[in-house]
Amino acid sequence: MSWPRLAYSGAIGLLSPLIWRRVWREQLPDRARGERMGCLRPFADERPRLWLHCASVGEVVAARPLIRALRLRHPDHRLVVSTMTATGAERVLSLVDDVPEAEAAAPLSHVFVALDFPGAARRFVQRLAPRQAIFFETELWPNLLRACARRGIPVAVVNGRLSPRAFRGYRRLRPLMAESLACVDWLAAKSGEDAERFVELGMASDHIQVVGSMKFDMALDDASLKVSERLHAAIGHRPIWVAGSTHPGEDELLLGVQRRLQARFPDILLVLVPRHPQRFEEVARLCQEAGFETVRRSRGRVPSARAEIYLGDSMGELQALYGTADLAFVGGSLVPIGGHNLLEPALMGVPVVTGPHLDNFEDVAQLLRDAGALVEIADADELVERVAALLEDAEQRKRLSEAGQGVIDTHRGALEATLAGLDRLLGHSQGRWPGSGG
């Protein structure tokens, strides 16, 4: 073992009590703890397997077009999608039937990815034994990558991105990252800037292809559209704005914005959707302590005319909730988180508003900005004014909506380029598949 990976493995070994304490506290199925140590149960059949790893629910949502395409492209395989979180697992399992009934498709399975201890990583890869390993975005785990390379499994990183903040962190570990990236056979980068950052970390430039972001290849979900239509009809004609993927410190600011907007729009409704499900109860208490009439989505109720907050405390419905609104604020951007997916509301034809912290989505933000499809605010005071102005200007909302959808339509294509690259990589690996494992 090289000294960078030895030092890394030693460090996570020292931190293992803290890591396991966190894992133990997570609300995970019983099987998760064994899988976190690489102890996978046997699969239902001996089909060859493709492995896609996504960190959590946000990455699974972004990878949905890829998941669907891989299942249709390789019907004789099994697609295994791993996640770190239970919410990601739920989202994967919700996609089991996400293919046309008439089409032959690979079965879809979920496992929890092994913690990146050397032994757990080796066991996980040995028992999964995929024909191809695909890591989504910035999931670069040194021991998992090395375990794949040792078994001759071709490795791809798709939708590859490195925000300036992530790059600064990884650059401090450049020897470790260079060794890890040497295990990657092909990297599909979202942008030229992302590609340059990967090269600076030690990735071979001739193994990188700039293909764009698969987020632009998202498809409108018929089920989400139906939920949006039903909700909008049930809520009735009143101003509605959504604040999606919100974080601690941000919810309090948004509740203050809602209170100030009520002075100008007495019947305004805020649909508030926290990013993480473990915060649903906390945010519900915040709403009640602030004196808002709050209705919770998880209780199956529709907001009455008196409701001031509709709390989106259900899983997998953010896109549908965006579709109910006159405009959407995308969270993680009023506080220094780095923002979240600006394209989800745009796909639903909803004007997009964001705060100043956009490190994670600066490339997408710039495209929307250039097209006049993004409203940016500096703080909560400006958010009040811009939301109010948009609610009073239907024509401006229409222009923003059309501009946002135009950006999505113009930049589609990353999915096909990614699939072509994965096909080439899989074709080159024929004859060296390590077997079905066990």
Side-chain angles (χ1 to χ4, degrees), residues 304-320:
S304 66
R306 293 175 50 203
E308 300 164 292
I309 306 288
Y310 191 32
L311 182 62
D313 58 346
S314 56
M315 290 303 302
E317 291 197 306
L318 179 58
Q319 188 179 43

Side-chain angles (χ1 to χ4, degrees), residues 19-158:
I19 295 170
W20 270 112
R21 184 186 306 171
R22 179 171 179 177
V23 168
W24 202 260
R25 288 176 177 174
E26 290 177 337
Q27 296 179 348
L28 299 176
D30 291 341
R31 64 180 172 89
R33 294 184 180 96
E35 291 174 1
R36 290 294 182 89
M37 290 306 295
C39 299
L40 303 184
R41 297 176 182 178
F43 290 91
D45 53 44
E46 290 300 313
R47 291 168 180 253
R49 292 182 281 276
L50 302 175
W51 170 34
L52 171 64
H53 175 60
C54 300
S56 188
V57 63
E59 290 75 19
V60 176
V61 170
R64 180 185 170 190
L66 177 63
I67 292 170
R68 182 173 179 172
L70 287 171
R71 295 179 68 193
L72 294 173
R73 212 172 185 97
H74 302 285
D76 55 335
H77 286 61
R78 175 176 293 275
L79 178 61
V80 181
V81 180
S82 62
T83 64
M84 275 285 184
T85 66
T87 54
E90 290 173 4
R91 188 61 177 164
V92 171
L93 295 174
S94 75
L95 300 179
V96 168
D97 298 321
D98 189 35
V99 290
E101 291 183 9
E103 297 280 357
L108 176 65
S109 298
H110 171 268
V111 295
F112 287 96
V113 74
L115 297 170
D116 205 36
F117 302 125
R122 284 195 299 270
R123 267 192 306 277
F124 182 89
V125 172
Q126 178 184 3
R127 297 189 181 191
L128 181 57
R131 290 187 65 191
Q132 186 174 62
I134 307 166
F135 292 80
F136 199 81
E137 294 194 343
T138 51
E139 286 294 287
L140 303 173
W141 295 103
N143 286 320
L144 278 169
L145 289 169
R146 180 60 183 162
C148 289
R150 289 184 64 181
R151 292 182 63 84
I153 297 165
V155 174
V157 174
V158 301

Side-chain angles (χ1 to χ4, degrees), residues 326 351 390-401:
D326 296 300
L390 285 170
L391 289 175
E392 291 171 342
D393 191 342
E395 283 300 313
Q396 176 67 357
R397 295 201 306 272
K398 182 181 178 183
R399 284 194 294 272
L400 286 163
S401 169

